[in-house]
Amino acid sequence: MWISVRDRLARLIDLFWDDLTLYIESVVFDAQEQILNRAADHRALAELGPQPMCCGPRWLRAKLLYSYLPFDISIFGQIKSPFFLLLTVISITPMFGIRVAFFTLILLLIIAGRPPDEYQMVTFILTFKGAQFLSSGVFMACLAAVKYYMCVKPGGTHTCDTEGPGVSQDLVTSSVDFFGSCLLVWIAFLLLPCSRSFGGVRDIAEEKESKSEVSGCCHDYDPGRGGRLAGLLGYDLCCFLVSCGLIYYLTMLDVASRGELQNALDQDLLVDLQRWQFRSRVFFGRILYGLLSLFPS
C-alpha cells in the first residue's frame, strides 16, 4: 500500500476510534445520571430564555425546530409523530425546489436564535446532506431507471424527448435544487463560528450566567466550531464540481457531434440549453451529486 494512503487511513481510523470512545463515555455517563436521578438537562434547558407566547412567531419557530430537530428524542420516537413524518416527506422532495426551500426555512429559523445553536447548525448540515442522498441520489436514480424503461419502445423507437428522466422538470427549479444543495450547507458552515453551545448539563450554569452578556450574533466568535466539518464540506465541494464537470462533458460531447466549426459549436451550445437532452444531463448531474453526498451525511 502507498505510504500516503496508509498514513491517511491510519489517521481516519484514529479519529474514528476517538469519536467512538467519546460516544461510549457519554452514553455511560448519561446512563449513570439517569440511574442516580441527576439528569436535569430537560428541566434546566426548559428554564432558559423567556416563555414564548402561544401561537406567536417564536412559539411557531420553537415548535417547528423541535418537531424536526429535537435534542431529546431519538428517531424511533420521532417517527411516532405525524407532523415529523410530514416534514420528512417535504425534506426529501427533490422536485420544484421544495427540498431547498424547506431547508432554507429551517436555516433561517436556526439563525433567528441570535446566536444560533452549534448543535442545531451541525445537525442541519448532516441532515441536509442525508436528505440529499436519499432524494436526489437514491430516489432520482430509481426514477431515472423507470423513466428510461418506459420511454424506450419496441423496434428501436423512443419517446425520451417527452417522457425521459428530467425532461418534465424545468431548468430553473432543477438549478435551484442543484446549486442550493451546495450553497446552503456552506452558508451554515460559514455561520458556525458565530454559533454557541447552549445544551448540556455540564455547562448549563455557565450558559445561564453568560446569556445576558450576549449582544450580537458574533459576540463569541470561535473558528473551531463544527470540529472536522471543514474536511467534509471540502469533499462536498469537490463532489459538486465533479457533477458540474459531468454535465459540461456530456454537453460538449453532444454539441461537438453536431458542429464542425468553432462558431457553429458556440451557436449549438446556446441552442443546446433549450433541448430536452440538456435537462436530462442536469438530472443525472444531480443524481451523481446526491449519491456522492453519502459520505458527508
Side-chain angles (χ1 to χ4, degrees):
M1 182 181 293
W2 295 332
I3 297 178
S4 59
V5 176
R6 184 186 62 189
D7 294 341
R8 182 173 292 273
L9 287 177
R11 288 195 298 269
L12 289 176
I13 293 174
D14 291 338
L15 291 175
F16 173 76
W17 185 256
D18 292 340
D19 290 342
L20 181 61
T21 302
L22 290 175
Y23 175 75
I24 294 176
E25 290 177 353
S26 65
V27 170
V28 172
F29 178 83
D30 292 338
Q32 293 175 347
E33 292 293 298
Q34 291 288 346
I35 294 175
L36 297 176
N37 294 325
R38 294 188 306 187
D41 272 7
H42 296 181
R43 294 190 300 272
L45 289 174
E47 296 174 358
L48 287 177
Q51 187 72 18
M53 182 179 64
C54 183
C55 298
R58 296 181 58 191
W59 182 87
L60 293 174
R61 169 184 177 270
K63 185 62 93 175
L64 180 59
L65 288 180
Y66 183 75
S67 298
Y68 190 67
L69 300 174
F71 69 96
D72 60 341
I73 302 178
S74 67
I75 185 62
F76 300 103
Q78 288 179 274
I79 59 178
K80 298 178 182 179
S81 171
F83 188 50
F84 170 76
L85 297 178
L86 174 63
L87 295 178
T88 302
V89 171
I90 296 175
S91 67
I92 59 175
T93 303
M95 281 77 74
F96 310 110
I98 294 176
R99 178 169 56 88
V100 173
F102 172 78
F103 278 102
T104 300
L105 175 62
I106 295 295
L107 181 59
L108 291 176
L109 293 178
I110 294 175
I111 297 174
R114 292 181 303 172
D117 183 66
E118 180 186 10
Y119 171 80
Q120 288 182 335
M121 296 290 283
V122 173
T123 305
F124 169 83
I125 294 175
L126 298 179
T127 304
F128 187 26
K129 301 313 292 183
Q132 182 185 359
F133 169 73
L134 292 176
S135 58
S136 295
V138 177
F139 173 74
M140 287 177 55
C142 296
L143 181 62
V146 174
K147 286 277 190 178
Y148 261 130
Y149 179 81
M150 298 299 294
C151 72
V152 176
K153 308 298 182 180
T157 60
H158 71 86
T159 57
C160 294
D161 55 337
T162 57
E163 301 177 356
V167 174
S168 59
Q169 298 187 21
D170 65 281
L171 193 58
V172 175
T173 56
S174 297
S175 301
V176 168
D177 183 85
F178 184 57
F179 289 98
S181 298
C182 181
L183 185 61
L184 271 184
V185 293
W186 273 97
I187 292 176
F189 175 74
L190 294 177
L191 290 175
L192 264 176
C194 298
S195 64
R196 295 189 64 189
S197 179
F198 291 97
V201 69
R202 304 167 185 80
D203 304 322
I204 200 70
E206 292 81 2
E207 293 295 341
K208 280 186 175 181
E209 295 176 358
S210 60
K211 184 174 178 57
S212 60
E213 302 177 0
V214 179
S215 58
C217 179
C218 292
H219 182 271
D220 190 18
Y221 186 88
D222 183 5
R225 298 285 187 191
R228 294 186 293 272
L229 273 181
L232 295 180
L233 268 293
Y235 166 82
D236 181 73
L237 180 60
C238 292
C239 295
F240 175 76
L241 295 178
V242 169
S243 302
C244 292
L246 174 66
I247 297 174
Y248 178 78
Y249 176 72
L250 294 178
T251 300
M252 294 306 298
L253 281 181
D254 191 26
V255 171
S257 65
R258 299 193 304 267
E260 299 178 355
L261 300 177
Q262 185 63 37
N263 292 335
L265 188 65
D266 294 338
Q267 293 176 0
D268 284 346
L269 186 60
L270 295 176
V271 174
D272 190 71
L273 298 177
Q274 309 298 327
R275 298 177 184 271
W276 67 270
Q277 292 96 331
F278 185 78
R279 296 195 297 273
S280 182
R281 293 183 210 115
V282 173
F283 190 83
F284 281 102
R286 292 167 59 193
I287 291 177
L288 177 63
Y289 186 29
L291 292 176
L292 293 177
S293 298
L294 173 64
F295 182 71
S297 61

